[in-house]
Amino acid sequence: MKTYDIAIAGGAMAGATLALALSQASNGALSIAVVEPFRVDKDNHPGFDSRSIALSYGTKLILEQFKLWSKIEPLTTAINHIHVSDRGHAGMTEIDKNEENVAALGYVVELAAVGSLYSQLISQSGNIDYFCPDSVASISRDIESNLIKLGSGNELRCKLLVAADGADSICSHSLGHSNSELDFNQTAVIANVEVSEKHNGRAFERFTTSGPLALLPMSKNRMSVVWCLEPTEAEKVVRLPEETFIAQLQHAFGWRLGKITKVGTAASYPLVLKQKDQVVSHRFATVGNAAQLLHPIAGQGFNLGIRDIASLVDCITGKKDVGDYSVLSQYRECREHDRTQTISLIAGMVSVFSNDWLSLRIGRNLALMTMDNIPLFKSPLLRRTMGLVKR
């Protein structure tokens, strides 16, 4: 049985980023174990599937700090312009990178590509042991460490266990940590599509009567679609023949990118806000979706999670005992404001922009028009969506 400074349950985006960031920040001094049930190269990895995610400008800055951005950037497509509108109404706002004096407002990356990169980087790190395929079966804690039994029968000890194992975190559940949940009564339909006009790095967020519809620019002039619908409607849409799916998506989105010419395999998942009532306990911390799962509106999920990671790395760096109460209490306190503000923003946006009540429809269109004409109103929201917030 080997003893580690830190064990990370989950080796997808959050867990792998954390492991590599800790390794870099400590110059390889920290011993790290990553426990991951799915192999990137052979399994249909749920954390590195065919989806794409948007990385904010702030996330880019954090990845630069961890010496990861130069490796990830070739896999990304820059977002140069964002168009936000309310379908069938006058409300609209546009954001351009030149207005904000940045190289890009954000970046879109395919999870499968990052999965392959991270797998390679972890295998090259001498201070990271990768237990895969394997999973956490049980956790027992004493004053100085955690004893972790794995599904394979292996055991390991660590000063700190970090849960990065998703919204239904097995680690958090086994330690008795509860969730607060809000069901949005929406399902996200996701697919990649090809369009007839060049996207030129444009991203679109369109609010419809059934929920938000986002199209994000990808390589080879493809767009990543996140289409939020009522559950019964989403169930029908994912089963539609390609031609009918394209026709309905075209009707919902419009013709700003010309004709939608092709669609890949569509999938769906229910949209629920989940947040842990406590993000730390004795020698235990949570990051990313294990701490909070957000609605995809405004693309804040991973970007909030990477601020968890950056804060935890900051709190750990230079500490002799990385699982000490002082380290974890500092992490909890420094994440509280950002976490609360971002969750409240997203929940509020879903309520306002997924509702067709006349009063809300008028209010959101006035808000969009005001934002487009008065920068003072646009700036605070834009800075948060770009990830330029205090951690």
Side-chain angles (χ1 to χ4, degrees), residues 229-246:
L229 299 165
E230 295 178 355
T232 52
E233 186 179 358
E235 188 178 345
K236 296 175 183 176
V237 166
V238 293
R239 294 194 175 103
L240 290 174
E242 181 178 12
E243 186 176 330
T244 311
F245 182 98
I246 288 174

Side-chain angles (χ1 to χ4, degrees), residues 146-162:
N146 299 290
L147 172 61
I148 303 170
K149 294 185 178 180
L150 304 181
S152 62
N154 289 326
E155 295 183 353
L156 56 91
R157 281 194 177 274
C158 61
K159 295 177 182 177
L160 173 64
L161 171 61
V162 181

Side-chain angles (χ1 to χ4, degrees), residues 7-203:
I8 301 169
M13 280 295 290
T17 302
L18 176 61
L20 293 166
L22 286 167
S23 179
Q24 190 278 328
S26 69
N27 292 315
L30 288 172
S31 57
I32 303 165
V34 176
V35 182
E36 169 54 43
F38 298 94
R39 292 171 294 191
V40 172
D41 55 341
K42 294 184 179 179
D43 299 318
N44 183 20
H45 197 299
F48 290 125
D49 56 19
S50 60
R51 289 172 297 162
S52 296
I53 60 170
L55 307 178
S56 70
Y57 181 76
T59 292
K60 175 214 172 190
L61 298 180
I62 292 172
L63 291 170
E64 282 180 340
Q65 174 190 334
F66 296 150
K67 305 293 190 293
L68 291 171
W69 180 247
S70 62
K71 300 176 179 66
I72 292 174
E73 185 178 18
L75 308 175
T76 68
T77 300
I79 299 174
N80 300 320
H81 186 94
I82 301 174
H83 182 280
V84 184
S85 62
D86 195 4
R87 182 177 178 271
H89 304 286
M92 183 181 73
T93 189
E94 301 199 54
I95 307 161
D96 191 88
K97 67 177 185 179
N98 295 323
E99 296 174 14
E100 306 306 317
N101 295 315
V102 291
L105 296 168
Y107 301 83
V108 180
V109 65
E110 296 179 61
L111 290 173
V114 179
S116 298
L117 171 65
Y118 275 1
S119 179
Q120 178 185 354
L121 293 176
I122 287 174
S123 69
Q124 295 169 352
S125 299
N127 62 317
I128 302 176
D129 287 345
Y130 195 47
F131 294 84
C132 179
D134 215 333
S135 58
V136 174
S138 68
I139 307 163
S140 57
R141 298 182 284 184
D142 57 34
I143 293 175
E144 296 184 346
S145 66
N146 299 290
L147 172 61
I148 303 170
K149 294 185 178 180
L150 304 181
S152 62
N154 289 326
E155 295 183 353
L156 56 91
R157 281 194 177 274
C158 61
K159 295 177 182 177
L160 173 64
L161 171 61
V162 181
D165 52 347
D168 297 314
S169 169
I170 294 172
C171 293
S172 296
H173 179 73
S174 67
L175 295 176
H177 293 194
S178 57
N179 268 338
S180 297
E181 294 191 13
L182 173 62
D183 189 343
F184 293 115
N185 194 35
Q186 289 183 346
T187 295
V189 174
I190 56 174
N192 296 332
V193 301
E194 295 179 10
V195 292
S196 62
E197 293 186 9
K198 291 187 179 299
H199 59 59
N200 294 321
R202 290 176 291 168

Side-chain angles (χ1 to χ4, degrees), residues 25-26 30 313-322 327:
S26 69
L30 288 172
V313 172
D314 286 348
C315 293
I316 285 172
T317 301
K319 301 298 192 301
K320 184 177 180 180
D321 184 353
V322 297
V327 174

Side-chain angles (χ1 to χ4, degrees), residues 327-362:
V327 174
L328 298 181
S329 60
Q330 181 187 0
Y331 169 66
R332 181 189 63 237
E333 290 168 11
C334 73
R335 291 308 300 138
E336 186 171 355
H337 181 74
D338 180 22
R339 186 173 183 251
T340 301
Q341 289 291 104
T342 304
I343 290 172
S344 297
L345 170 68
I346 298 304
M349 289 181 70
V350 174
S351 176
V352 170
F353 287 103
S354 296
N355 199 307
D356 206 37
W357 290 349
L358 179 61
S359 58
L360 288 179
R361 195 166 67 230
I362 293 172

